[in-house]
Amino acid sequence: VLDMASETVIPFTDIDITTFCNLRCKRCAKCIPYFRERKHFTAEEIRENLELLTRYIDTVYVANIIGGEPFLNPELPEIIRICSENKKIRTLELTTNATIVPGERVLRALKDGGITVHISNYPNLDQRYEENREKLIGKLKEYGIPYEYQFHEIWLDFGEIERHGYTDRELEQMFLHCPMNSCTVFNGRTLYRCGKA
């Protein structure tokens, strides 16, 4: 969170809406395979939590609806509506692994919410997932929903969760000098400074 000329802003935040995913990526940037308990956040929880967050800030420049896989959350259309109606969010995005082709209700919500869909471009997916990605892109085009590949069409490997033996000072410096240091993650009622955190 930055104080830009007496305005409190969040440049970018993920809004976690589920810890369910249909993939089990070994080096998931969101650590989803490590969650012991799975949860879909309800639309009401997202509304309450977003109201709490935006009570204390002036602007969120970019908010990204994400999971797990957001297309698995059964309340996604309502969550999109809630997020898109929040006047403090300037730009709304959704990140998907593109292995699921959503139904008409979700597609209409994406269109009506003015959302840009980011497609994680994972290498070496099973052929049926590749086919689903092409079907999803076809549907996004059909509905006039903008989309792009996340990370310029390459997969970024953030590593596994493991102990490296860094000192507290080394960890502090890595944290402060992270190249993605404007990112936050809003999970439940907590705003995390780092996705891995």
Side-chain angles (χ1 to χ4, degrees), residues 88-143:
K88 293 189 177 182
I89 296 175
R90 296 262 178 97
T91 303
L92 194 56
E93 302 173 342
L94 178 141
T95 297
T96 177
N97 63 29
T99 61
I100 296 171
V101 181
E104 183 177 344
R105 279 186 64 232
V106 170
L107 291 165
R108 289 207 181 280
L110 291 168
K111 172 73 174 170
D112 294 345
I115 293 180
T116 298
V117 174
H118 288 258
I119 296 172
S120 296
N121 195 19
Y122 300 124
N124 306 318
L125 284 179
D126 185 280
Q127 181 61 35
R128 66 191 161 141
Y129 291 134
E130 298 286 345
E131 291 168 5
N132 281 353
R133 180 171 48 204
E134 294 309 312
K135 288 177 189 173
L136 171 64
I137 289 170
K139 286 292 187 183
L140 295 174
K141 288 178 179 177
E142 178 185 332
Y143 280 79

Coordinates of all heavy atoms in Angstrom, one line a residue, residues 88-143:
K88 N -13.8 2.1 -6.2 CA -12.4 2.3 -5.9 C -11.5 1.4 -6.7 O -10.3 1.7 -6.7 CB -12.1 2.1 -4.4 CG -12.9 3.2 -3.6 CD -12.4 3.2 -2.1 CE -13.1 4.4 -1.4 NZ -12.7 4.4 0.0
I89 N -12.0 0.5 -7.4 CA -11.2 -0.4 -8.3 C -11.2 0.2 -9.7 O -12.3 0.3 -10.3 CB -11.7 -1.8 -8.3 CG1 -11.6 -2.5 -6.9 CG2 -11.0 -2.7 -9.3 CD1 -12.2 -3.8 -6.8
R90 N -10.1 0.5 -10.2 CA -10.0 1.2 -11.5 C -10.0 0.1 -12.7 O -10.7 0.3 -13.7 CB -8.7 2.0 -11.7 CG -8.6 3.1 -10.7 CD -9.0 4.4 -11.4 NE -8.9 5.5 -10.5 CZ -7.9 6.4 -10.4 NH1 -6.8 6.2 -11.1 NH2 -8.0 7.3 -9.5
T91 N -9.3 -1.0 -12.5 CA -9.2 -2.0 -13.6 C -9.4 -3.4 -12.9 O -8.8 -3.6 -11.9 CB -7.8 -2.0 -14.3 OG1 -7.6 -0.7 -14.8 CG2 -7.7 -3.0 -15.4
L92 N -10.2 -4.2 -13.6 CA -10.5 -5.5 -13.0 C -10.1 -6.6 -14.0 O -10.4 -6.5 -15.2 CB -12.0 -5.6 -12.8 CG -12.5 -6.8 -11.9 CD1 -11.8 -6.8 -10.6 CD2 -14.0 -6.7 -11.7
E93 N -9.4 -7.6 -13.5 CA -8.9 -8.7 -14.4 C -9.3 -10.0 -13.7 O -9.7 -10.0 -12.6 CB -7.4 -8.6 -14.5 CG -6.9 -7.3 -15.0 CD -5.3 -7.2 -15.0 OE1 -4.7 -7.9 -14.2 OE2 -4.8 -6.3 -15.7
L94 N -9.1 -11.1 -14.5 CA -9.3 -12.4 -14.0 C -8.3 -13.3 -14.6 O -8.0 -13.2 -15.8 CB -10.7 -12.9 -14.3 CG -11.0 -14.4 -13.9 CD1 -12.5 -14.5 -13.4 CD2 -10.8 -15.4 -15.0
T95 N -7.6 -14.1 -13.7 CA -6.6 -15.0 -14.2 C -7.1 -16.4 -14.1 O -7.5 -16.9 -13.1 CB -5.3 -14.8 -13.4 OG1 -4.8 -13.5 -13.6 CG2 -4.2 -15.8 -13.9
T96 N -6.9 -17.2 -15.3 CA -7.4 -18.5 -15.4 C -6.3 -19.4 -15.9 O -5.4 -18.9 -16.7 CB -8.7 -18.6 -16.3 OG1 -9.0 -20.0 -16.4 CG2 -8.4 -18.0 -17.6
N97 N -6.4 -20.7 -15.6 CA -5.4 -21.6 -16.2 C -6.0 -22.1 -17.6 O -5.3 -22.8 -18.3 CB -5.1 -22.8 -15.3 CG -6.4 -23.7 -15.0 OD1 -7.3 -23.8 -15.8 ND2 -6.3 -24.4 -13.9
A98 N -7.1 -21.6 -18.0 CA -7.7 -21.8 -19.3 C -8.0 -23.3 -19.6 O -8.1 -23.7 -20.8 CB -6.9 -21.2 -20.4
T99 N -8.2 -24.1 -18.6 CA -8.6 -25.5 -18.8 C -10.1 -25.7 -18.7 O -10.5 -26.8 -19.0 CB -7.9 -26.4 -17.8 OG1 -8.3 -26.0 -16.5 CG2 -6.3 -26.3 -17.9
I100 N -10.8 -24.7 -18.3 CA -12.3 -24.8 -18.2 C -12.9 -23.8 -19.1 O -12.5 -22.6 -19.1 CB -12.7 -24.6 -16.7 CG1 -12.1 -25.6 -15.8 CG2 -14.2 -24.5 -16.5 CD1 -12.2 -25.4 -14.3
V101 N -14.0 -24.2 -19.8 CA -14.7 -23.3 -20.6 C -16.0 -22.9 -19.8 O -16.9 -23.8 -19.6 CB -15.1 -23.9 -22.0 CG1 -15.9 -22.8 -22.8 CG2 -13.8 -24.3 -22.7
P102 N -16.1 -21.7 -19.3 CA -17.3 -21.4 -18.5 C -18.6 -21.2 -19.3 O -18.5 -21.1 -20.5 CB -16.9 -20.0 -17.9 CG -16.0 -19.4 -18.9 CD -15.2 -20.6 -19.5
G103 N -19.7 -21.3 -18.6 CA -21.0 -21.1 -19.2 C -21.4 -19.7 -19.5 O -20.6 -18.8 -19.2
E104 N -22.6 -19.5 -20.1 CA -23.0 -18.2 -20.5 C -23.1 -17.2 -19.4 O -22.8 -16.0 -19.6 CB -24.4 -18.4 -21.2 CG -24.9 -17.0 -21.7 CD -26.2 -17.2 -22.5 OE1 -26.6 -18.3 -22.8 OE2 -26.8 -16.1 -22.7
R105 N -23.6 -17.6 -18.2 CA -23.7 -16.7 -17.1 C -22.4 -16.0 -16.7 O -22.2 -14.8 -16.5 CB -24.3 -17.4 -15.8 CG -25.7 -17.5 -15.8 CD -26.2 -18.1 -14.5 NE -26.0 -17.2 -13.4 CZ -25.4 -17.5 -12.2 NH1 -24.9 -18.7 -12.0 NH2 -25.2 -16.6 -11.3
V106 N -21.3 -16.9 -16.7 CA -20.0 -16.4 -16.4 C -19.5 -15.5 -17.5 O -18.9 -14.4 -17.3 CB -19.0 -17.5 -16.1 CG1 -17.6 -17.0 -16.0 CG2 -19.4 -18.3 -14.8
L107 N -19.7 -15.9 -18.7 CA -19.2 -15.1 -19.9 C -19.9 -13.7 -19.9 O -19.2 -12.7 -20.2 CB -19.4 -15.9 -21.2 CG -18.5 -17.1 -21.3 CD1 -19.0 -18.0 -22.4 CD2 -17.1 -16.7 -21.6
R108 N -21.2 -13.7 -19.7 CA -21.9 -12.4 -19.7 C -21.4 -11.6 -18.5 O -21.3 -10.3 -18.7 CB -23.4 -12.7 -19.5 CG -24.0 -13.2 -20.8 CD -25.5 -12.8 -20.9 NE -26.0 -13.4 -22.1 CZ -25.8 -12.9 -23.4 NH1 -25.1 -11.9 -23.5 NH2 -26.4 -13.5 -24.4
A109 N -21.1 -12.2 -17.4 CA -20.6 -11.4 -16.2 C -19.2 -10.8 -16.5 O -19.0 -9.6 -16.2 CB -20.5 -12.3 -15.0
L110 N -18.4 -11.6 -17.2 CA -17.1 -11.1 -17.6 C -17.2 -9.9 -18.5 O -16.6 -8.8 -18.4 CB -16.2 -12.2 -18.3 CG -15.8 -13.3 -17.4 CD1 -15.2 -14.5 -18.3 CD2 -14.7 -12.8 -16.4
K111 N -18.1 -10.0 -19.5 CA -18.3 -9.0 -20.5 C -18.9 -7.7 -19.8 O -18.4 -6.6 -20.0 CB -19.3 -9.5 -21.6 CG -19.8 -8.4 -22.5 CD -18.7 -8.0 -23.5 CE -19.3 -7.1 -24.6 NZ -18.3 -6.5 -25.4
D112 N -20.0 -7.9 -19.0 CA -20.6 -6.8 -18.3 C -19.7 -6.1 -17.3 O -19.8 -4.9 -17.1 CB -21.9 -7.2 -17.6 CG -23.0 -7.7 -18.6 OD1 -22.9 -7.4 -19.8 OD2 -23.9 -8.4 -18.2
G113 N -18.8 -6.9 -16.7 CA -17.9 -6.3 -15.7 C -16.7 -5.6 -16.3 O -15.9 -5.1 -15.6
G114 N -16.5 -5.7 -17.6 CA -15.4 -5.0 -18.3 C -14.1 -5.7 -17.9 O -13.1 -5.0 -17.8
I115 N -14.1 -7.0 -17.7 CA -12.9 -7.7 -17.3 C -12.0 -8.1 -18.4 O -12.5 -8.6 -19.5 CB -13.3 -8.9 -16.4 CG1 -14.0 -8.4 -15.2 CG2 -12.2 -9.8 -16.2 CD1 -14.4 -9.5 -14.2
T116 N -10.7 -8.0 -18.2 CA -9.7 -8.6 -19.1 C -9.3 -9.9 -18.5 O -9.0 -10.0 -17.3 CB -8.5 -7.7 -19.3 OG1 -8.9 -6.5 -19.9 CG2 -7.4 -8.4 -20.2
V117 N -9.4 -11.0 -19.3 CA -9.0 -12.3 -18.9 C -7.6 -12.6 -19.2 O -7.1 -12.4 -20.3 CB -9.9 -13.4 -19.5 CG1 -9.4 -14.8 -19.2 CG2 -11.4 -13.2 -19.1
H118 N -6.8 -13.0 -18.1 CA -5.4 -13.3 -18.3 C -5.3 -14.8 -18.3 O -5.8 -15.5 -17.4 CB -4.6 -12.8 -17.2 CG -4.4 -11.3 -17.3 ND1 -3.2 -10.7 -17.7 CD2 -5.2 -10.3 -17.0 CE1 -3.4 -9.4 -17.8 NE2 -4.6 -9.1 -17.3
I119 N -4.7 -15.4 -19.3 CA -4.5 -16.8 -19.5 C -3.1 -17.2 -19.1 O -2.1 -16.7 -19.7 CB -4.8 -17.2 -20.9 CG1 -6.3 -16.9 -21.3 CG2 -4.5 -18.7 -21.2 CD1 -6.7 -17.1 -22.7
S120 N -3.0 -18.0 -18.1 CA -1.7 -18.6 -17.7 C -1.3 -19.6 -18.7 O -2.0 -20.5 -19.0 CB -1.8 -19.2 -16.3 OG -2.1 -18.3 -15.3
N121 N -0.2 -19.4 -19.3 CA 0.3 -20.2 -20.4 C 1.2 -21.3 -19.9 O 2.4 -21.1 -20.0 CB 1.0 -19.4 -21.5 CG 1.1 -20.1 -22.8 OD1 0.4 -21.1 -23.0 ND2 2.0 -19.7 -23.7
Y122 N 0.7 -22.4 -19.4 CA 1.5 -23.5 -18.8 C 2.0 -24.4 -19.9 O 1.3 -24.8 -20.8 CB 0.7 -24.3 -17.9 CG 0.1 -23.5 -16.7 CD1 -1.2 -23.5 -16.4 CD2 0.9 -22.7 -15.9 CE1 -1.8 -22.7 -15.4 CE2 0.5 -22.0 -14.8 CZ -0.9 -22.0 -14.6 OH -1.4 -21.3 -13.6
P123 N 3.3 -24.8 -19.8 CA 3.8 -25.7 -20.8 C 3.4 -27.1 -20.5 O 3.1 -27.5 -19.4 CB 5.3 -25.5 -20.7 CG 5.5 -25.1 -19.2 CD 4.3 -24.3 -18.9
N124 N 3.4 -28.0 -21.5 CA 3.2 -29.4 -21.4 C 1.9 -29.9 -20.8 O 1.9 -30.8 -20.0 CB 4.4 -30.0 -20.6 CG 5.7 -29.7 -21.1 OD1 5.9 -29.7 -22.3 ND2 6.7 -29.3 -20.3
L125 N 0.8 -29.2 -21.1 CA -0.5 -29.6 -20.6 C -1.0 -30.7 -21.5 O -0.7 -30.8 -22.7 CB -1.5 -28.4 -20.7 CG -1.4 -27.4 -19.6 CD1 -2.4 -26.3 -19.8 CD2 -1.5 -28.0 -18.2
D126 N -1.8 -31.5 -20.9 CA -2.5 -32.6 -21.6 C -3.3 -32.0 -22.8 O -3.8 -30.9 -22.7 CB -3.5 -33.3 -20.6 CG -4.2 -34.5 -21.2 OD1 -5.2 -34.3 -21.9 OD2 -3.7 -35.6 -20.9
Q127 N -3.4 -32.8 -23.9 CA -4.1 -32.3 -25.1 C -5.5 -31.8 -24.9 O -5.9 -30.8 -25.5 CB -4.1 -33.4 -26.2 CG -4.7 -33.0 -27.5 CD -3.9 -31.9 -28.2 OE1 -2.7 -31.8 -28.1 NE2 -4.7 -31.0 -28.8
R128 N -6.2 -32.4 -24.0 CA -7.6 -32.0 -23.8 C -7.7 -30.6 -23.1 O -8.6 -29.8 -23.4 CB -8.4 -33.0 -22.9 CG -7.9 -33.0 -21.5 CD -8.4 -34.2 -20.7 NE -7.5 -34.4 -19.6 CZ -7.9 -34.7 -18.4 NH1 -9.2 -34.9 -18.1 NH2 -7.0 -34.9 -17.4
Y129 N -6.6 -30.2 -22.3 CA -6.6 -28.9 -21.8 C -6.2 -27.9 -22.9 O -6.7 -26.8 -22.9 CB -5.6 -28.8 -20.6 CG -6.0 -29.6 -19.4 CD1 -5.1 -30.4 -18.7 CD2 -7.3 -29.4 -18.9 CE1 -5.5 -31.1 -17.6 CE2 -7.7 -30.1 -17.7 CZ -6.8 -30.9 -17.1 OH -7.2 -31.6 -16.0
E130 N -5.3 -28.3 -23.8 CA -5.0 -27.4 -24.9 C -6.3 -27.1 -25.7 O -6.5 -26.0 -26.2 CB -3.9 -28.1 -25.8 CG -2.6 -28.3 -25.1 CD -1.8 -27.1 -24.9 OE1 -2.1 -26.0 -25.5 OE2 -0.8 -27.1 -24.1
E131 N -7.1 -28.2 -26.0 CA -8.3 -28.0 -26.7 C -9.3 -27.1 -26.0 O -9.9 -26.2 -26.6 CB -9.0 -29.4 -27.0 CG -8.2 -30.2 -27.9 CD -8.6 -31.7 -28.0 OE1 -9.6 -32.0 -27.3 OE2 -8.0 -32.4 -28.7
N132 N -9.4 -27.2 -24.6 CA -10.2 -26.3 -23.8 C -9.8 -24.9 -23.9 O -10.6 -24.0 -24.0 CB -10.3 -26.8 -22.4 CG -11.2 -28.0 -22.2 OD1 -11.9 -28.4 -23.1 ND2 -11.2 -28.5 -21.0
R133 N -8.4 -24.7 -23.9 CA -7.9 -23.3 -24.0 C -8.4 -22.7 -25.4 O -8.8 -21.5 -25.4 CB -6.4 -23.3 -23.9 CG -5.9 -21.8 -24.0 CD -4.4 -21.7 -23.7 NE -3.6 -22.7 -24.4 CZ -2.4 -23.1 -24.1 NH1 -1.9 -22.6 -23.0 NH2 -1.7 -23.9 -24.7
E134 N -8.3 -23.4 -26.4 CA -8.8 -22.9 -27.7 C -10.3 -22.6 -27.7 O -10.7 -21.6 -28.3 CB -8.4 -23.9 -28.9 CG -6.9 -24.0 -29.1 CD -6.2 -22.6 -29.2 OE1 -6.7 -21.8 -30.0 OE2 -5.2 -22.4 -28.5
K135 N -11.0 -23.5 -27.1 CA -12.5 -23.3 -26.9 C -12.8 -22.0 -26.1 O -13.7 -21.2 -26.4 CB -13.2 -24.5 -26.3 CG -13.3 -25.7 -27.2 CD -13.9 -26.9 -26.5 CE -13.8 -28.1 -27.3 NZ -14.2 -29.3 -26.5
L136 N -12.0 -21.9 -25.0 CA -12.2 -20.7 -24.2 C -11.9 -19.4 -25.0 O -12.7 -18.4 -24.9 CB -11.3 -20.7 -22.9 CG -11.2 -19.5 -22.1 CD1 -12.6 -19.1 -21.5 CD2 -10.2 -19.6 -21.0
I137 N -10.8 -19.4 -25.7 CA -10.5 -18.2 -26.5 C -11.6 -17.9 -27.5 O -11.9 -16.8 -27.7 CB -9.1 -18.4 -27.1 CG1 -8.0 -18.3 -26.1 CG2 -8.8 -17.4 -28.2 CD1 -6.6 -18.7 -26.5
G138 N -12.1 -19.0 -28.1 CA -13.2 -18.8 -29.1 C -14.4 -18.1 -28.4 O -15.0 -17.2 -29.0
K139 N -14.7 -18.6 -27.2 CA -15.9 -18.0 -26.4 C -15.6 -16.5 -26.1 O -16.5 -15.7 -26.1 CB -16.2 -18.8 -25.2 CG -16.9 -20.1 -25.5 CD -18.3 -19.8 -26.0 CE -19.1 -21.1 -26.2 NZ -20.4 -20.8 -26.7
L140 N -14.4 -16.2 -25.6 CA -14.0 -14.9 -25.2 C -14.1 -14.0 -26.5 O -14.7 -12.8 -26.4 CB -12.6 -14.8 -24.7 CG -12.4 -15.6 -23.4 CD1 -10.9 -15.5 -23.0 CD2 -13.2 -15.0 -22.2
K141 N -13.7 -14.4 -27.6 CA -13.8 -13.7 -28.8 C -15.3 -13.5 -29.2 O -15.7 -12.4 -29.6 CB -13.1 -14.3 -30.0 CG -11.6 -14.3 -29.9 CD -10.9 -15.0 -31.1 CE -9.4 -14.9 -31.0 NZ -8.7 -15.7 -32.1
E142 N -16.1 -14.5 -29.1 CA -17.5 -14.5 -29.4 C -18.2 -13.4 -28.6 O -19.1 -12.7 -29.1 CB -18.1 -15.8 -29.2 CG -19.6 -15.9 -29.4 CD -20.2 -17.3 -29.1 OE1 -19.5 -18.3 -29.1 OE2 -21.4 -17.3 -28.7
Y143 N -17.9 -13.3 -27.3 CA -18.5 -12.4 -26.4 C -17.8 -11.0 -26.3 O -18.3 -10.1 -25.6 CB -18.6 -13.0 -25.0 CG -19.7 -14.0 -24.8 CD1 -19.6 -15.3 -25.2 CD2 -20.9 -13.6 -24.1 CE1 -20.6 -16.2 -25.1 CE2 -21.9 -14.5 -24.0 CZ -21.8 -15.8 -24.4 OH -22.8 -16.7 -24.3

